[in-house]
Amino acid sequence: MSEPTGKYSITMPRDIAEAARARSGPSGLSAYVAAAVARQIERDNLNELVAVAEAEHGPVTDDEIQSLRDQLQQARNEQAAPGADAA
């Protein structure tokens, strides 16, 4: 992270802290926790965006979601097919 940093004290369950420390690797626990918080902020922002879109356009139906998943899978299959353009 190239942003200025600050030192903070947080409290979390010991088992979570130890699991995070074990997985943090050479970048350390602080970087691991910072990345986890950044991901949560991204999710929160996306949830807010979805709420605004659904308020304006109505909720997305299960059928619409499945249709888009099918289109995505079809596109992936076409890309993986032999002779597919490698552009």
Side-chain angles (χ1 to χ4, degrees), residues 8-56:
Y8 302 93
S9 175
I10 62 168
T11 303
M12 71 174 74
R14 187 177 312 255
D15 61 333
I16 293 174
E18 291 306 317
R21 185 179 303 281
R23 289 170 175 77
S24 63
S27 61
L29 182 59
S30 291
Y32 188 87
V33 171
V37 171
R39 278 192 305 274
Q40 185 61 49
I41 291 169
E42 289 173 354
R43 287 179 177 173
D44 293 345
N45 289 340
L46 285 172
N47 285 337
E48 291 170 8
L49 182 61
V50 168
V52 168
E54 286 185 340
E56 186 174 333

Side-chain angles (χ1 to χ4, degrees), residues 57-68:
H57 303 287
V60 179
T61 67
D62 289 342
D63 288 341
E64 290 170 321
I65 292 171
Q66 188 58 51
S67 175
L68 291 171

